[in-house]
């Protein structure tokens, strides 16, 4: 083995990995198998990651398995080894945080990649479109459409990670506790054998519950999992509502986004097209929120040695999981993929906004800036016209200091 490397193994055997890298065997092997395009072709990676602190640990290029499996495992390995390092362990040991068993638990590149792809692609596509922001549903200072969409990506990424973090508790089985948790009428080892059989059959890490009394009397794990689904439902509700409001129109609304026209929207108004995918996913979100109330009530009613709300709890958890999954696929395919920006409309609204005056605060102060905005609003003029009329600014000063593209980040 060369100096500066460590040996790691995957299902294909041992392979050398640079000693100073967080990635592991899967990534090292992919570096060999997909040496295409060089550093400029590297996959865009993910908080220490998005901050650029771990860029050197993501060497893989775009040209790899079509599902993105290698990059998925690259992320898993980096997160695993970084967590191991933080906990004082040895890089590459896969203990106590395993890249597959823990980081990758209950996900696949087949679903994680398209989930992020659909919205992240819009962040890139819309990164240069400067639009007006809105707070309290009123005009605010500018941002880019890409920045607006980046919030949606972060919301969903957080929700997905939260669900993954709650799943391990569901692998604890109550089998063997019998009537009240004592295990009466079973033999020593029965519970463990049942869990082993289930684990072997499903290829999932099921184990016997450490405390059978808790496993029968309470279903906090199910409540926790559904709580994570509820977080995703809240995110989806906000995202879909934003999109349909931004697309309202086509003539008399905000009209900044153009949603795909999938079907006729009215039986009486010819030519009307509605944001039906947004409506569908917000209804799903509402149902999941309702299910959350029911699961919460059910979970809180574990009287003495047995919770007797089991059928309702499991029905709601399974229904919410299925609804969110199906709705997200439909929303991505039939809405997000086809979203376009009406650049002319976006630019007009930016130019018409009174809140561009915020950029003048450092130069003329809040009170003078407010006078300009109020006069422009009262008289229906532009900010520039109002500023010149009030003799607070010259035309040259206004043009120099009011630049929407300079208002997108800290100075």
């Amino acid at each position: 083995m060369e100096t500066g490397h460590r040996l790691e193994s995957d299902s294909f055997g041992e392979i050398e990995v640079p000693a100073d890298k967080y990635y592991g065997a899967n990534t090292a092997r992919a570096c060999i198998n997909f040496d295409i395009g060089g550093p400029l072709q590297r996959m865009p990676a993910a908080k220490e990651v998005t901050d650029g602190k771990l860029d050197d640990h993501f060497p893989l290029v775009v040209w790899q398995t079509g599902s993105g499996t290698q990059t998925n495992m690259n992320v898993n390995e980096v997160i695993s080894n970084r967590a191991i390092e933080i906990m004082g362990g040895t890089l590459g040991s896969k203990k106590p945080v395993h890249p597959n068993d823990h980081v990758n638990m209950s996900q696949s590149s087949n679903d994680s990649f398209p989930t992020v792809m659909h919205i992240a692609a819009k962040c890139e596509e819309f990164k240069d479109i400067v639009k007006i922001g809105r707070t309290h549903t009123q005009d605010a200072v500018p941002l880019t459409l890409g920045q607006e969409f980046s919030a949606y990506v972060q919301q969903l990424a957080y929700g997905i990670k939260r669900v993954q973090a709650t799943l391990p508790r569901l692998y604890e089985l109550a089998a063997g506790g019998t009537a009240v948790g004592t295990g009466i009428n079973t033999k020593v080892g029965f519970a463990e054998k049942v869990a082993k059989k289930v684990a072997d059959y499903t290829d999932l890490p099921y184990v016997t519950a450490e405390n059978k009394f808790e496993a029968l009397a309470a279903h906090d794990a199910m409540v926790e999992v559904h709580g994570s689904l509820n977080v995703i439902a809240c995110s989806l509700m906000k995202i879909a509502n934003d999109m349909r409001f931004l697309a309202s129109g086509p003539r008399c609304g905000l009209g900044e986004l153009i949603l795909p026209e999938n079907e006729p929207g009215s039986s009486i108004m010819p030519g009307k097209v509605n944001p039906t995918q947004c409506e569908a996913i917000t209804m799903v979100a509402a149902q999941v929120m309702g299910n959350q109330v029911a699961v919460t009530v059910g979970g809180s009613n574990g009287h003495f040695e047995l919770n007797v709300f089991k059928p309702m709890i499991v029905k709601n958890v399974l229904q919410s999981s299925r609804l969110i999954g199906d709705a997200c696929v439909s929303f991505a395919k039939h809405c997000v993929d086809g979203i376009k920006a009406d650049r002319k409309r976006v630019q007009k609204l930016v130019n018409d906004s009174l809140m561009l005056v915020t950029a003048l605060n450092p130069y003329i102060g809040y009170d003078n800036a407010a006078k300009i905005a109020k006069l422009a609003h009262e008289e229906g003029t532009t900010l520039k016209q109002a500023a010149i009329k009030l003799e607070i600014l010259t035309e040259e000063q206004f043009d120099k200091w009011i630049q929407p593209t300079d208002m997108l980040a800290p100075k």
Side-chain angles (χ1 to χ4, degrees), residues 41-347:
Q41 295 294 302
R42 287 184 180 180
M43 285 291 295
K47 188 66 176 83
E48 285 186 13
V49 176
T50 56
D51 290 341
K53 296 178 181 178
L54 301 179
D55 284 356
D56 290 340
H57 303 278
F58 291 87
L60 302 187
V61 296
V62 172
W63 317 111
Q64 53 174 277
T65 300
S67 62
T69 299
Q70 280 74 37
T71 288
N72 188 38
M73 278 308 302
N74 189 176
V75 174
N76 294 336
E77 289 172 340
V78 169
I79 293 173
S80 168
N81 274 319
R82 178 65 180 124
I84 289 169
E85 183 178 64
I86 291 172
M87 298 169 75
T90 303
L91 293 184
S93 65
K94 302 183 182 179
K95 296 178 181 179
V97 181
H98 194 285
N100 294 86
D101 297 341
H102 300 123
V103 182
N104 190 70
M105 182 179 290
S106 299
Q107 68 162 336
S108 165
S109 51
N110 291 353
D111 60 7
S112 61
F113 247 72
T115 297
V116 177
M117 281 166 59
H118 287 282
I119 296 180
K122 294 300 175 181
C123 296
E124 179 67 20
E125 180 182 343
F126 297 155
K127 68 179 181 180
D128 296 324
I129 301 177
V130 180
K131 57 157 286 175
I132 201 65
R134 296 180 179 87
T135 57
H136 306 272
T137 69
Q138 303 296 300
D139 298 349
V141 294
L143 75 166
T144 68
L145 193 55
Q147 289 172 326
E148 193 167 48
F149 269 66
S150 74
Y152 306 149
V153 174
Q154 186 65 32
Q155 276 188 280
L156 292 178
Y158 172 80
I160 291 168
K161 287 295 183 183
R162 183 180 171 122
V163 169
Q164 292 166 353
T166 61
L167 290 177
R169 292 189 65 190
L170 295 184
Y171 291 123
E172 298 180 10
L173 301 181
T178 63
V180 296
T182 60
I184 187 173
N185 288 351
T186 65
K187 293 184 178 181
V188 173
F190 173 78
E192 290 75 14
K193 289 180 179 178
V194 170
K196 176 73 164 54
K197 284 288 186 182
V198 173
D200 290 344
Y201 182 75
T202 61
D203 199 27
L204 292 170
Y206 285 104
V207 295
T208 189
E210 181 178 351
N211 188 302
K212 303 298 189 298
F213 305 102
E214 186 272 344
L216 271 65
H219 291 302
D220 294 349
M222 297 289 277
V223 176
E224 185 178 12
V225 167
H226 199 280
S228 299
L229 294 173
N230 193 59
V231 170
I232 294 179
C234 291
S235 297
L236 293 172
M237 180 71 84
K238 188 258 192 292
I239 292 167
N241 276 333
D242 277 7
M243 289 184 179
R244 65 171 162 186
F245 293 147
L246 290 172
S248 59
R251 296 284 179 88
C252 304
L254 296 180
E256 293 184 348
L257 295 182
I258 303 171
L259 302 185
E261 298 185 351
N262 296 325
E263 65 276 305
S266 174
S267 59
I268 190 172
M269 292 178 279
K272 195 174 193 299
V273 179
N274 296 329
T276 52
Q277 288 295 319
C278 296
E279 293 166 3
I281 204 165
T282 52
M283 284 192 289
V284 163
Q287 181 63 59
V288 173
M289 293 174 192
N291 288 353
Q292 171 72 359
V293 174
V295 170
T296 301
V297 172
S300 66
N301 277 275
H303 302 135
F304 304 114
E305 277 65 62
L306 189 67
N307 180 293
V308 291
F309 283 72
K310 300 182 195 302
M312 181 273 291
I313 291 174
V314 70
K315 176 262 184 187
N316 280 359
V317 172
L318 293 176
Q319 183 193 48
S320 293
S321 301
R322 178 62 184 268
L323 285 175
I324 287 176
D326 287 354
C328 284
V329 171
S330 179
F331 189 60
K333 181 178 179 180
H334 299 296
C335 181
V336 177
D337 274 358
I339 288 177
K340 293 180 175 60
D342 188 330
R343 293 174 182 262
K344 290 183 179 180
R345 175 66 174 169
V346 169
Q347 185 62 52

Side-chain angles (χ1 to χ4, degrees), residues 368 370-373 375-376 385-393:
N368 280 330
K371 290 178 183 178
I372 294 172
L375 182 64
Q385 290 170 328
I388 294 172
K389 182 175 182 179
L390 289 169
E391 297 183 347
I392 295 175
L393 291 173

Side-chain angles (χ1 to χ4, degrees), residues 344 350 405:
K344 290 183 179 180
V350 170
T405 53

